Amino acid sequence: MHTKVQNIRYAVVSISDSRYMEKLRGLTVEDGSGILLSDELNAEIYELIPDNPEMIKGLIEHIIDYSDVECIVLTGGTGLSSRDNTSEVVNGLYDKKLEGFSIVFHKLSYDEVQFSTILSRASAGIYKKKLIYSLPGSINACKTGLKIIKQESGHILGHIE
């Protein structure tokens, strides 16, 4: 029997070229999605990085190797532009992809935005015994993802051996 993991330790990574450039310029960064996720999940780690494949992969590896975080939630970079690289990075990392997450996410998203949900490449999977979610960068998409994340992460983590 699998035990549901309680008191999950989260990291939130917001991926946005434009917000990262604002941060580098010393401007006040409006990162509604990243802050929402960080606050709602009481994240131990919150980072804002550009949509750069090496930086995304490197930060995921660093969090896994140097923290006790059990779940990483990425927001941004799941769209269709040439600079949207998050999906390619995480799909290349997952040891096991949780196909059902995308299905449920799209079902809930369809109820909100109808056919526009097909533009999202939201995903979830296991990498090095850690749970990773990849969500679109919009606040509404993050709210939709949070419904699943809050309810199922402990259950999923309880199945990881």
Side-chain angles (χ1 to χ4, degrees):
M1 182 157 139
H2 301 283
T3 305
K4 183 175 181 177
V5 174
Q6 304 291 327
N7 303 315
I8 300 165
R9 292 177 298 277
Y10 289 95
V12 171
V13 179
S14 191
I15 299 163
S16 170
D17 288 336
S18 60
R19 290 186 192 107
Y20 185 75
M21 289 308 296
E22 290 173 2
K23 178 180 170 182
L24 287 181
R25 290 186 188 110
L27 302 173
T28 302
V29 178
E30 299 289 329
D31 182 23
S33 297
I35 298 301
L36 170 75
L37 291 168
S38 185
D39 289 349
E40 287 287 321
L41 299 171
N42 195 27
E44 294 185 10
I45 297 170
Y46 164 75
E47 291 292 336
L48 170 63
I49 62 172
D51 203 332
N52 174 295
E54 291 80 21
M55 288 181 78
I56 296 167
K57 184 178 186 298
L59 184 55
I60 290 170
E61 295 285 0
H62 189 79
I63 290 169
I64 289 172
D65 291 345
Y66 295 102
S67 77
D68 59 358
V69 163
E70 298 156 303
C71 180
I72 301 170
V73 181
L74 308 171
T75 179
T78 65
L80 303 177
S81 83
S82 62
R83 286 294 301 164
D84 288 325
N85 296 301
T86 306
S87 296
E88 285 72 25
V89 171
V90 294
N91 286 326
L93 292 176
Y94 293 145
D95 298 319
K96 296 191 182 284
K97 189 169 182 181
L98 300 172
E99 302 287 348
F101 173 81
S102 182
I103 293 166
V104 172
F105 178 87
H106 284 292
K107 195 277 183 220
L108 294 174
S109 184
Y110 177 81
D111 294 342
E112 298 167 12
V113 298
Q114 298 202 318
F115 294 117
S116 292
T117 190
I118 66 173
L119 299 174
S120 167
R121 297 183 298 148
S123 68
I126 307 303
Y127 177 58
K128 294 184 176 180
K129 298 186 179 185
K130 306 295 181 182
L131 175 56
I132 299 174
Y133 294 99
S134 177
L135 301 174
S138 78
I139 290 176
N140 285 339
C142 289
K143 288 178 181 177
T144 300
L146 276 167
K147 294 173 190 174
I148 306 166
I149 293 167
K150 285 182 168 184
Q151 185 168 331
E152 285 301 311
S153 293
H155 182 209
I156 294 167
L157 288 166
H159 283 268
I160 299 174
E161 301 170 355

